[in-house]
């Protein structure tokens, strides 16, 4: 991994990381990186100015026949010729200077220098989080620190009294900002909101602050994770990569000291550190976020203007802010732990319920994913029909939990009904097949018994006996074939997707068929309930069983209503209760109309139907492809059962894709 850091101009300190190759050229808009192209807002740079690439010999730089040329240090580059590029070299193009750093080489040197030292702090980054790049430098011992209780601010205000109105106004202004910090920190438990709040208030508290960032420290893994980075007056540049000094950060974390450097360039201890020079930092404050003497993270504020140096009073205020942040951050961590515990319990509960029916395993998790994506897409939709719908983060979470738990009531459904894969239960089909074989044996016994009785009564000649025997055997062949056709037809009709009218008509011929059993009593070949199950509608359940399955919604509502949900999750029982309702009133269990169905339940209904149609693990049918499933859902939309506008967003946003 290599980096380019801008050392001059309005975008001073901006860092771009790359692996194999990158091209640098003139920006069409703001300075940024897009793929393997870096765009710099400098009119003296060509559109395709230079490229940096790596081979077996390391990184190299090549001028791409630019108009104003490229210099490596003070050496002009010959266009089209590759030059070795080493860590720490400065590239000059137009009015811009770029510092090249090779983190792999830098990290290797750092590890060698610290081989005898204690466990080092690890810095971890990812593409989704704010990216703050740590620039390594020589580790030095620091003793620049100031730790002040927040109450000192009140003492300062009392000491100044009312004589120095200008100073007093400044203190009042800062106290007002501190109160805003306290109120904001106390009003949220979300980590992202916390860091955003801190960054917003920092620029109110410190007039000289040019940029601010917050990092979270994970003590168990001895690593720092970037949470937020902001530039003053440049909201569009938030969370871009910026560089920070490893030695400053390391000192704050390991020594639990707050650092104030009024002039980083002139400081005897920091002024010679390469990272400070490279980043052009003039004044910096960095304070740990401490909770019960445990480091939870750090906050750094700095600027690159020598005329706006921070003061000891500024550091006092930053420490006070960090002390408030520590409490809120710890509360946020505890809240997150509780949420994770609850999330784990919900997932384990859902998995336990779904284990009763392996054929629908994963259904609730997939429905939750589809539902969440559709809700987010609806929230972002600008269509006239849906623009009034807004879902907060808590409402999205509420909907996700309702989706995960929407089938929890299946715990109250008998397992053999829940897992019924065909129209007849296995034991029912086995009994029917055995009855047919028994009928076949009884017919054969009756035929040969009749032949014997006729021989005794009529004294048939051998020729007559043989002729009668052949006639009876031909009759038996026809009767056995009749019974075997019956079994073949039963096996075909037993499949859930089979409902051929011609087969049902033939099955009706067997409806009253009787045979004489071994005790010479008449016995039905097919029981009425067997005929009803085999000739019923598509699917595997009869009317009674279907009603039992439908009760799972009521069981879900009863179970979820017993949980003391917080106000943010209080709608879960009602949302889950209505996921089988239909807009035309044909749903269950209450037959609600469109106006009475929660919007979240309408969203979940589409996701639930889609997964039921496409799931490939159902034992009673093969899953449909997306195109066929969407077509079937659209047919439900056309007859007024599902919401047309929500379905349109479901398709247009591709919320059905996993």
């Amino acid at each position: 991994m290599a980096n380019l850091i801008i050392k001059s101009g309005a975008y001073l300190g901006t860092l771009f990381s790359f692996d194999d190759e990158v091209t640098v050229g003139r920006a069409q808009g703001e300075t940024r990186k897009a793929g393997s192209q870096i765009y710099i807002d400098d009119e003296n740079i060509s559109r395709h100015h230079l490229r940096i690439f790596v081979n077996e010999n390391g990184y190299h730089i090549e001028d791409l026949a630019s108009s104003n040329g490229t210099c490596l240090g003070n050496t002009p580059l010959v266009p089209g010729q590759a030059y070795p590029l080493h860590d720490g070299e400065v590239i000059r193009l137009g009015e811009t200077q770029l510092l090249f750093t090779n983190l792999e080489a830098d990290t290797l040197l750092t590890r060698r220098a610290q081989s005898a030292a204690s466990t080092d702090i690890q810095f971890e980054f990812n593409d989704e989080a704010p990216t703050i790049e740590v620039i390594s430098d020589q580790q030095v011992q620091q003793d620049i620190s100031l730790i002040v209780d927040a109450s000192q601010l009140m003492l300062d205000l009392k000491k100044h009294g009312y004589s120095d109105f200008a100073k007093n106004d400044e203190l009042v202004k800062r106290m007002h900002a501190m109160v805003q910090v306290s109120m904001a920190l106390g009003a949220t438990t979300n980590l992202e909101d916390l860091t955003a709040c801190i960054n917003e208030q920092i620029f109110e508290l410190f007039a000289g602050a040019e940029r601010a960032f917050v990092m979270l420290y994970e003590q168990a893994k001895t690593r720092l994770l970037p949470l937020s980075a902001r530039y003053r007056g440049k909201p569009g540049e938030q969370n871009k990569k910026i560089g920070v000094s490893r030695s400053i950060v390391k000192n704050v974390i390991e020594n639990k000291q707050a650092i104030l450097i009024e002039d980083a360039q002139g400081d005897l201890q920091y002024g010679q550190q390469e990272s400070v020079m490279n980043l052009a930092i003039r004044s910096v404050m960095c304070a740990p976020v401490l909770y019960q003497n445990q480091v939870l993270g750090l906050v750094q504020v700095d600027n690159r203007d020598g005329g706006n140096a921070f003061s000891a009073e500024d550091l006092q205020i930053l420490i006070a802010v960090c002390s408030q942040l520590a409490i809120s951050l710890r509360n946020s961590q505890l809240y997150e732990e509780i949420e994770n515990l609850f999330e784990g319990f919900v997932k384990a509960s859902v998995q336990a319920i779904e284990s009763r029916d392996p054929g629908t395993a994963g259904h609730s998790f997939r429905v939750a994913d589809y539902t969440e994506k559709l809700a987010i897409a609806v929230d972002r939709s600008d269509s006239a029909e849906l623009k009034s719908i807004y879902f907060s983060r808590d409402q999205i979470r509420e909907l996700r939990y309702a989706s995960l738990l929407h089938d929890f009531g299946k715990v109250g459904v008998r397992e053999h009904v829940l897992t019924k894969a065909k129209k007849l239960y296995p034991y029912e089909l086995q009994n029917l097949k055995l009855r047919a074989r028994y009928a076949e044996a009884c017919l054969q016994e009756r035929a040969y018994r009749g032949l014997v009785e006729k021989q005794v009564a009529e004294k048939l000649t051998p020729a007559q006996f043989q002729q009668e025997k052949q006639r009876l055997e031909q009759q038996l062949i026809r009767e056995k074939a009749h019974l075997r056709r019956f079994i073949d037809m039963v096996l075909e009709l037993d499949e859930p997707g089979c409902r051929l009218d011609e087969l049902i008509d033939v099955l009706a011929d067997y409806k009253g068929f009787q045979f004489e059993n071994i005790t010479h009593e008449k016995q039905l070949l097919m029981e009425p309930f067997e005929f009803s199950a085999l000739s019923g509608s598509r699917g595997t359940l009869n009317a009674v069983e279907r009603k039992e399955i439908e009760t799972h919604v009521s069981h879900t509502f009863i179970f979820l209503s017993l949980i003391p949900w917080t106000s943010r999750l209080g709608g879960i029982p009602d949302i889950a209760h209505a996921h089988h309702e239909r807009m035309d009133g044909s749903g269950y269990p209450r037959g609600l109309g469109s106006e009475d169905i929660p919007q979240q339940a309408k969203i979940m209904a589409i996701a639930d139907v889609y997964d039921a149609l496409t799931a490939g693990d159902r034992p009673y049918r093969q899953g449909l492809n997306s195109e066929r499933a969407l077509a079937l859902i659209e047919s439900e939309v056309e007859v007024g059962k599902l919401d047309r506008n929500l379905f349109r967003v479901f398709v247009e946003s591709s919320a059905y894709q996993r």
Side-chain angles (χ1 to χ4, degrees), residues 292-425:
Q292 295 182 349
N293 207 36
Q294 177 185 354
V295 179
L296 303 182
L298 61 84
V299 176
Q300 178 168 314
V301 184
D302 58 40
N303 65 48
R304 291 164 287 186
D305 184 354
N308 286 315
F310 298 116
S311 65
E313 184 182 81
D314 291 327
L315 186 61
Q316 294 173 15
I317 295 175
L318 181 61
I319 292 171
V321 169
C322 288
S323 68
Q324 295 181 72
L325 176 60
I327 298 173
S328 296
L329 185 57
R330 184 55 184 154
N331 288 339
S332 174
Q333 291 174 340
L334 292 174
Y335 186 79
E336 184 178 1
E337 289 174 5
I338 293 173
E339 280 193 328
N340 291 337
L341 178 64
F342 180 71
E343 178 93 10
F345 171 75
V346 169
K347 290 182 177 179
S349 301
V350 171
Q351 189 166 343
I353 295 302
E354 291 194 340
S355 67
R356 298 182 68 231
D357 183 9
T360 60
H363 168 71
S364 295
F365 295 101
R366 293 191 297 269
V367 169
D369 289 340
Y370 294 140
T371 301
E372 184 175 2
K373 289 194 291 186
L374 177 54
I376 293 173
V378 169
D379 180 76
R380 296 173 178 173
S381 175
D382 56 0
S383 68
E385 298 84 0
L386 300 174
K387 64 180 180 181
S388 61
I389 298 177
Y390 167 77
F391 295 119
S392 66
R393 182 190 293 108
D394 288 332
Q395 288 174 318
I396 293 293
R397 188 161 57 95
E398 178 185 61
L399 180 53
R400 176 172 179 80
Y401 284 148
S403 302
L404 284 170
L405 296 168
H406 76 283
D407 278 345
F408 197 90
K410 286 183 178 179
V411 70
V413 179
R414 292 176 298 167
E415 189 166 353
H416 69 276
V417 175
L418 194 63
T419 60
K420 189 177 182 183
K422 297 188 178 183
K423 295 178 181 178
L424 295 176
Y425 292 106

Side-chain angles (χ1 to χ4, degrees), residues 499-570:
R499 196 182 181 281
L500 300 177
D501 291 338
E502 57 269 23
L503 284 180
I504 295 176
D505 291 341
V506 176
L507 183 69
D509 295 337
Y510 290 88
K511 185 176 182 181
F513 182 85
Q514 295 180 325
F515 63 93
E516 188 178 286
N517 62 23
I518 198 69
T519 59
H520 308 295
E521 296 175 342
K522 293 294 184 180
Q523 182 174 341
L524 285 172
L525 176 63
M526 179 172 51
E527 296 293 338
F529 81 90
E530 295 168 338
F531 175 79
S532 176
L534 292 169
S535 61
S537 59
R538 291 183 180 273
T540 64
L541 303 176
N542 59 40
V544 175
E545 293 164 340
R546 187 167 297 282
K547 284 292 183 183
E548 182 174 351
I549 286 288
E550 290 178 357
T551 63
H552 83 274
V553 183
S554 298
H555 290 313
T556 296
F557 178 73
I558 293 172
F559 169 78
L560 296 180
S561 297
L562 296 176
I563 299 176
W565 301 101
T566 65
S567 58
R568 297 176 179 179
L569 302 176

Side-chain angles (χ1 to χ4, degrees), residues 228-239:
S228 178
R230 296 291 190 275
Y231 283 86
R232 177 185 291 276
K234 298 178 180 178
E237 294 185 36
Q238 63 185 25
N239 292 342

Side-chain angles (χ1 to χ4, degrees), residues 179-382:
V179 171
Q180 294 299 317
V181 170
S182 299
M183 293 174 60
L185 291 179
T188 180
T189 55
N190 180 268
L191 194 58
E192 181 180 342
D193 293 341
L194 279 175
T195 54
C197 165
I198 285 294
N199 279 322
E200 289 174 4
Q201 296 300 327
I202 277 176
F203 293 125
E204 293 292 327
L205 286 167
F206 307 111
E210 188 172 333
R211 64 176 188 170
F213 67 83
V214 182
M215 296 186 78
L216 179 67
Y217 179 58
E218 294 184 352
Q219 187 173 17
K221 299 180 180 179
T222 61
R223 67 176 183 178
L224 280 165
L225 300 175
L227 294 182
S228 178
R230 296 291 190 275
Y231 283 86
R232 177 185 291 276
K234 298 178 180 178
E237 294 185 36
Q238 63 185 25
N239 292 342
K240 283 191 173 182
K241 275 192 177 181
I242 60 176
V244 299
S245 168
R246 176 182 288 269
S247 58
I248 293 177
V249 170
K250 184 176 175 64
N251 196 355
V252 170
I253 294 296
E254 291 187 345
N255 299 328
K256 301 177 183 178
Q257 294 178 329
I259 292 177
L260 166 63
I261 306 175
E262 296 184 359
D263 184 0
Q265 300 294 329
D267 185 86
L268 293 178
Q269 295 175 326
Y270 282 106
Q272 301 303 314
Q273 299 305 308
E274 185 177 353
S275 65
V276 174
M277 297 174 64
N278 290 339
L279 300 173
I281 295 175
R282 297 293 303 195
S283 186
V284 59
M285 294 187 297
C286 191
V289 179
L290 292 172
Y291 180 80
Q292 295 182 349
N293 207 36
Q294 177 185 354
V295 179
L296 303 182
L298 61 84
V299 176
Q300 178 168 314
V301 184
D302 58 40
N303 65 48
R304 291 164 287 186
D305 184 354
N308 286 315
F310 298 116
S311 65
E313 184 182 81
D314 291 327
L315 186 61
Q316 294 173 15
I317 295 175
L318 181 61
I319 292 171
V321 169
C322 288
S323 68
Q324 295 181 72
L325 176 60
I327 298 173
S328 296
L329 185 57
R330 184 55 184 154
N331 288 339
S332 174
Q333 291 174 340
L334 292 174
Y335 186 79
E336 184 178 1
E337 289 174 5
I338 293 173
E339 280 193 328
N340 291 337
L341 178 64
F342 180 71
E343 178 93 10
F345 171 75
V346 169
K347 290 182 177 179
S349 301
V350 171
Q351 189 166 343
I353 295 302
E354 291 194 340
S355 67
R356 298 182 68 231
D357 183 9
T360 60
H363 168 71
S364 295
F365 295 101
R366 293 191 297 269
V367 169
D369 289 340
Y370 294 140
T371 301
E372 184 175 2
K373 289 194 291 186
L374 177 54
I376 293 173
V378 169
D379 180 76
R380 296 173 178 173
S381 175
D382 56 0

